[in-house]
Amino acid sequence: MSSENDSDRRTSEAPDVASSNSENVKISSALSENEEYMSQASVEDEPDVSSDSLEEEERDAPGPTPEESAAGSETREEDELKQLKHPWTDKSKLSVAECGAGGNCGPNSFFKGLQYLEITEDVVFQEASTPENVRKKVAQAQGKLPKMGKWWNQKDLQHAANEYNVGILMFNKGRDSLILPEGKPIPKLSVALLGGEGESVHFQLVLPSSFNPRLLVPDGSVYFVCSLLECDKAKYSPSHLSGAGGLIEPLRRAFSTVPNILEMNFSSLEQFQFKGSTASERRAEALALTNHFANVNQHVIGPAAVAGLKLFAGVVGNTSNAKDVTVSQIVEKPEAAVSSEDMTTAANVFMSVVYNPDLTEDSYDVTYGTEHKQHKGGDRYKDHMNVLMERIRGGENNFDSRPIVVRLESATPVWPSYILNTIGFIPRSNSGDPIFTMLNDILNEEENNGGVLVICHSVAQPLDASAAWKDLDVVKKWISNRKECKMKVLLAITKADLKAESYYHDCHSMRDLYNKIFGRFEKLLPNTEMFFVTGWRENGPTDEMACAGELRQTIDAVKARIIQGNSKEGSSPWIDKLDARIGTAQLRKEYLRLIGLQASRYVDSFLGCLTHAIDTLDKKRRELLVEYDAVQIDSVSGPIDEICTVTEKQAMIYRTGALERPSSADVNLETNREFAAKYRKTLLEELGIIYNMKDFEMTVSLDDIKQIILTASTDIPINNRRYHSFWMRIERLKENSKTFAKLYRMEPLPREEIIDFITTKPVNNNMDVDNFVNTFVVDSVKTIFCRELGPLFSKWIAYMVYESYECGFFLSLRDSTPGKALKTNTKFHEIFLEVLKDIYFKDIEEEVKYAVLGKAPAFLERLNILRETQSSAKARSETEQNWLQRLGAISPIIAAKIAKYLKITLPSLTANTILPLSQLKMKENFAKPFVPSLYLDVTLEETQILNEIAQYYFEEMLVQCIEHFFREALARVDFCYSQTRYERDNNFLFKHFFMTTFERESSQFPDHQSELAKFTYNERYYGYTVQQLLEKGIIVFNDKNSYAKPDSKANDPSKRADDPFSDLRHTQNNLTLFSYKFPRSLHPGYRLPLHDKVRGRAKTFLGDVYNDKANIESIILKEAVQLRDLQLQLKAAKDYLKQELSTP
């Protein structure tokens, strides 16, 4: 290894820890207290790092140099480290948590360790936001520049300990050392790093298989221990971790969540049994099982993770070269072949086969795109495949790059196997072949991870330029640079039975016979395993045995003739070589051997997946046990209060995008990302929802609005982006102010009306044509804005606010701790969502409408559009000129950067070329009156001019109205931009949830009613509005108030019939007049919380109302049984696989 400095390659001595005996005692004490806890960890379920493999590494490791032995410091350090008796020294209990790649492994793994440390509340490593920042900080501490890919040594780790104030316990092939921050007291948080340095050493973060992250010691210190495990860097790559159970990150994530695991199909494990007699054969079978599992569950695991479980195996060749037949023979199901004289492959077909003894007939599961079919029996399967191929060939390209995935469950015993049958190549031509290009790209991608490629070439086809497979990059690499080619190549010379005995008439020795069959191919593919195979000539495998027998009979006859001519040929070694390469069985045997040789890491990954799934299920069952026990003693009063807080917090995060650090988040980042994806919308998608929700009429249709937005999206590309956060969606809405203004055109004024409404000016009795036109414009703008756009935008903003709370509520139930007790309570869900809709949708909508539309936008009547436009242009011009003058006096380089930021064009920065002030004359009267040419009349041309001017004013005023709306509306929902008030708003939400629940459910809980009645009025009704108190009859008018007295007509039946307003006359419960038309959200007391004393009783009341212990217990038990059964199934399958694969 090299450190950040290339010249620093010497081994850094371990820090002197002799002076830290007291500190070591503390560490020893802390770790020993956890020893009993750790001793319960299961060893057999962690295949990641076995003790045997580590012991082998240690045996092979070189001992200390003479210089190191002479130093004499090892003994002292080892003696002190013996005090650190803790489970992390038991390497058999370590499992891989993270592995860096190449020279970045040190910073990567150390950074991951800091992330684990963040789960405590004592230290926040804010500066360690990325591994690159860790490397940068450590390099700067040494006065160096950070260099990506440079290996860390012990000196770098010492600086890492100093900079981040963590203790590091490093195990390095017996040369263990304790690294503590220099010049500082022992940190409260320590991390044990297992690793070392040298050209073959690689840092790898590992964790104990089971651990208690918080180790409390008498002095209150907290120690968290992770490890860095040393490994051979040659075995590691960014995309894959070698060793049993080492998982790439996508696989680890896929098997880290219970919903994912429950969605997976593990049926292929239930009846699986090995048939192979050798270890290689069993590995090939296990790989087939792994491959089946990956393909069946790809929709759950994801393509990135599936790559860690699938070793490529495929067949290529020209059309009509028996690829489909060869594939079906390799998987031991000849009846699965579908090619025939009238059917050719139009899409790649992935075929996998597994034995299911419970079946009486073969079962075919066929997936093509989103289409999924199941068939019993080969005939129905073939019919379906023919239909698919016909449909694909009838398409635009005559082929499809999407594969058809076939999973065959065989009713008869077969070896589990799989292979990909590709589309046949056309003979190579100058114009090229799109199918060839597609398959060449696929093979180039797969070659990086190895695999097996079978080339099918008909014995009757010439080996010239028409053999397209020769141009594949993988084949070229196999020929020219075999060592670098990770994929193994086999050649199947098909249709061997077509050659009669006369074809071999010139063969006079066994070597001649061998060269006759394989010679021309070996010249092209030297040292390549190749086989002479047969299939069948009919449309099905009915004559398969006959074709194989005919080939064998022909070869035997040629052999007999050769031996008859020369008896010595009877003992020729070429006979065995021929026999080993003739027949499909020999091809299949070699195919399985090559698969088995490469299967280890994929099978190990699969075992690691099963182990990780078992651990995930076990962890979840333990969590369920805690939940189950808690249900016995806890009420739901506390969780309801916390759900209000989490809902408010998550709504804030949803609106602003202000994600929390993982260590303090109520909901993990993965779940936040999942929900954000569900709620993302384009402008058109939002529009469709709001338009269908409107409770008012609009003069423009939804299609018209969509067309306008689509047209505007050319200039406003964000319209097509999907956003979930409130602030981004609001900005997009504001950006489209002109877009919405273009929805409307003012109705042209008829000439007769313009003439009819000409008014006169005082004194000189002049004609005033503008008065009517301008009045009509302002009235049209106000009408459209107040009746259509204002209500539309009010509902739009309210919907976005409500959606943030809806998302926050569902997130609080999904992952957060308080939501677990109530996530299945239907009544709680219904009432909580109803409250959210009332206060964060209906009330917000009404408040925004009141604030903006409560009175017509009167400012329009005092708006001079022409002057406003000119004034804005002049203000912008003067701003730029002022800045140009300022920039002319400073450095040209700095000035250019400032100008670029301010979007100012700099013609020159010299004082002599500063642009003159704007020539705009703001004293000029832009709004000059329109003077018609005729007396008491206007011409048709003048009518058109007046209408066009009116339309211009109309659009500009409508834009002004929309922009005015957003300014006023956003002031009303300013709380949506705050990131710190969710603790306060929690009380507001809790109050309204309590009020709604009490109104509906209090009659069933008289004890709570009586308890609440004991509070004083000031306590009991604190946080209620006057309107609420009037409606509930809490505040009543006495008899002296004539207005409050019941109307005599309302109570007199004889008079009531004559009074059409009798049912509308005043009663105590109809006091809406006292709201003075203010929306509910503006009533005094609306946002005040409950009184503290009442809040405590309210919690108890809610806890009793939503107490659903019996149902919760039933749900927890049902889930626990499901997880236990699946855990036992996976453990049995894993144990069986491990036992069989370890047998020689």
Side-chain angles (χ1 to χ4, degrees), residues 213-371:
R214 303 185 70 107
L215 306 174
L216 299 179
V217 294
D219 66 356
S221 299
V222 179
Y223 298 96
F224 184 87
V225 185
C226 302
S227 302
L228 278 180
L229 176 69
E230 117 191 343
C231 55
D232 184 354
K233 66 182 180 183
K235 296 179 181 178
Y236 288 79
S237 69
S239 61
H240 200 281
L241 299 180
S242 64
L247 301 181
I248 58 175
E249 188 58 28
L251 272 178
R252 182 173 297 281
R253 287 198 303 267
F255 288 86
S256 294
T257 61
V258 172
N260 272 6
I261 296 173
L262 293 179
E263 192 177 347
M264 294 177 191
N265 184 345
F266 294 98
S267 59
S268 57
L269 296 176
E270 295 176 1
Q271 305 293 339
F272 179 78
Q273 296 211 346
F274 286 103
K275 292 177 61 181
S277 58
T278 67
S280 177
E281 290 172 341
R282 286 193 294 273
R283 282 196 301 270
E285 291 180 87
L287 180 61
L289 174 68
T290 300
N291 200 288
H292 296 324
F293 177 83
N295 280 290
V296 170
N297 295 290
Q298 181 165 350
H299 65 290
V300 182
I301 301 175
V306 165
L309 294 176
K310 292 172 62 175
L311 176 68
F312 176 81
V315 173
V316 297
N318 283 14
T319 57
S320 303
N321 274 233
K323 293 186 289 78
D324 185 44
V325 170
T326 303
V327 165
S328 66
Q329 290 176 315
I330 286 177
V331 298
E332 290 189 304
K333 297 299 289 186
E335 58 271 28
V338 293
S339 293
S340 60
E341 294 178 358
D342 58 347
M343 209 293 291
T344 55
T345 305
N348 298 331
V349 179
F350 184 88
M351 170 74 71
S352 59
V353 181
V354 66
Y355 173 49
N356 188 343
D358 295 335
L359 297 179
T360 58
E361 188 177 14
D362 289 350
S363 174
Y364 293 83
D365 187 289
V366 183
T367 302
Y368 172 59
T370 58
E371 183 179 339

Side-chain angles (χ1 to χ4, degrees), residues 647-907:
T647 298
E648 289 283 353
K649 182 194 288 189
Q650 290 301 133
M652 175 275 293
I653 292 172
Y654 176 94
R655 290 193 300 269
T656 64
L659 291 167
E660 298 178 289
R661 292 184 300 106
S663 58
S664 59
D666 293 288
V667 178
N668 63 52
L669 178 60
E670 185 175 355
T671 304
N672 269 303
R673 293 174 62 191
E674 175 189 338
F675 271 70
K678 292 179 181 178
Y679 281 87
R680 288 192 195 109
K681 298 178 183 67
T682 64
L683 186 66
L684 281 178
E685 290 169 342
E686 284 186 33
L687 170 67
I689 295 172
I690 304 303
Y691 194 90
N692 292 326
M693 290 172 57
K694 64 182 178 60
D695 48 5
F696 51 89
E697 293 298 324
M698 291 191 69
T699 55
V700 288
S701 68
L702 179 60
D703 290 337
D704 291 338
I705 304 177
K706 285 183 176 180
Q707 187 58 48
I708 290 289
I709 291 177
L710 286 173
T711 303
S713 297
T714 304
D715 298 323
I716 312 177
I718 58 176
N719 288 352
N720 298 322
R721 301 277 189 273
R722 281 186 166 84
Y723 301 123
H724 77 273
S725 61
F726 173 84
W727 80 270
M728 296 177 76
R729 290 159 71 178
I730 282 290
E731 290 302 310
R732 180 172 62 188
L733 205 54
K734 290 163 58 180
E735 193 74 13
N736 282 276
S737 296
K738 290 185 179 295
T739 305
F740 285 99
K742 291 178 181 178
L743 288 172
Y744 299 90
R745 288 192 62 83
M746 192 188 73
E747 178 186 352
L749 286 169
R751 179 186 177 194
E752 291 75 13
E753 271 200 282
I754 294 176
I755 297 172
D756 192 40
F757 280 97
I758 293 177
T759 187
T760 180
K761 294 180 180 179
V763 182
N764 58 4
N765 205 30
N766 283 343
M767 293 169 52
D768 184 356
V769 181
D770 295 319
N771 182 64
F772 171 61
V773 175
N774 292 339
T775 302
F776 182 78
V777 169
V778 173
D779 183 72
S780 299
V781 171
K782 288 182 178 181
T783 300
I784 288 174
F785 180 72
C786 294
R787 293 182 182 177
E788 298 188 25
L789 289 181
L792 179 72
F793 292 139
S794 298
K795 193 173 290 290
W796 204 321
I797 290 176
Y799 169 73
M800 288 191 284
V801 173
Y802 165 74
E803 196 175 56
S804 69
Y805 284 95
E806 179 190 73
C807 178
F809 173 62
F810 289 135
L811 282 169
S812 72
L813 297 176
R814 168 70 178 269
D815 279 350
S816 68
T817 302
K820 294 176 181 178
L822 290 160
K823 62 184 178 182
T824 59
N825 194 312
T826 305
K827 180 168 69 173
F828 171 77
H829 293 187
E830 291 176 354
I831 295 180
F832 202 98
L833 287 172
E834 181 182 329
V835 171
L836 290 178
K837 192 169 185 179
D838 283 341
I839 63 176
Y840 286 125
F841 183 83
K842 295 178 181 178
D843 288 354
I844 293 291
E845 180 184 8
E846 291 303 316
E847 183 176 346
V848 171
K849 283 198 296 186
Y850 175 82
V852 185
L853 307 178
K855 55 183 178 180
F859 70 90
L860 291 176
E861 299 170 12
R862 290 171 291 280
L863 191 64
N864 188 322
I865 291 296
L866 293 178
R867 190 170 185 82
E868 288 285 333
T869 304
Q870 296 292 341
S871 178
S872 298
K874 182 176 185 298
R876 175 63 182 172
S877 176
E878 289 182 345
T879 298
E880 290 195 7
Q881 291 168 27
N882 291 336
W883 272 99
L884 285 171
Q885 290 176 336
R886 294 182 62 178
L887 296 178
I890 62 178
S891 164
I893 296 177
I894 300 298
K897 292 183 177 180
I898 296 175
K900 182 179 180 181
Y901 178 80
L902 296 176
K903 307 297 184 186
I904 297 176
T905 302
L906 293 181

Side-chain angles (χ1 to χ4, degrees), residues 4 44 66 114 118 155 159 258 260 280 324 402 432 562 583 646 664 692 711 732 793 811 833 941 959 1023 1100:
E4 300 289 356
E44 62 174 352
L114 296 184
E118 280 189 346
K155 185 176 180 181
H159 283 280
V258 172
N260 272 6
S280 177
D324 185 44
R402 296 176 299 172
I562 292 173
V646 176
S664 59
N692 292 326
T711 303
R732 180 172 62 188
F793 292 139
L811 282 169
L833 287 172
E941 181 180 287
V959 171
T1100 306

Side-chain angles (χ1 to χ4, degrees), residues 274-287 415 592-600 603 1137-1144:
F274 286 103
K275 292 177 61 181
S277 58
T278 67
S280 177
E281 290 172 341
R282 286 193 294 273
R283 282 196 301 270
E285 291 180 87
L287 180 61
W415 287 55
L592 291 175
R593 188 187 73 83
L594 292 179
I595 289 289
L597 290 177
Q598 302 180 71
S600 294
V603 175
L1137 290 172
K1138 288 181 66 176
Q1139 179 182 353
E1140 291 296 320
L1141 291 173
S1142 62
T1143 303

Side-chain angles (χ1 to χ4, degrees), residues 433-488:
D433 177 8
I435 293 176
F436 176 89
T437 302
M438 175 192 71
L439 294 179
N440 191 49
D441 292 341
I442 291 175
L443 292 175
N444 286 341
E445 183 178 349
E446 296 289 351
E447 192 269 335
N448 292 326
N449 294 317
V452 177
L453 179 66
V454 180
I455 301 171
C456 287
H457 189 94
S458 171
V459 69
Q461 183 182 6
L463 196 61
D464 55 15
S466 65
W469 55 265
K470 295 191 302 179
D471 295 327
L472 291 170
D473 293 338
V474 170
V475 175
K476 291 179 180 178
K477 192 173 184 179
W478 174 261
I479 295 172
S480 62
N481 195 1
R482 183 74 54 89
K483 291 183 179 180
E484 296 298 323
C485 187
K486 298 178 182 179
M487 192 173 287
K488 305 300 181 183

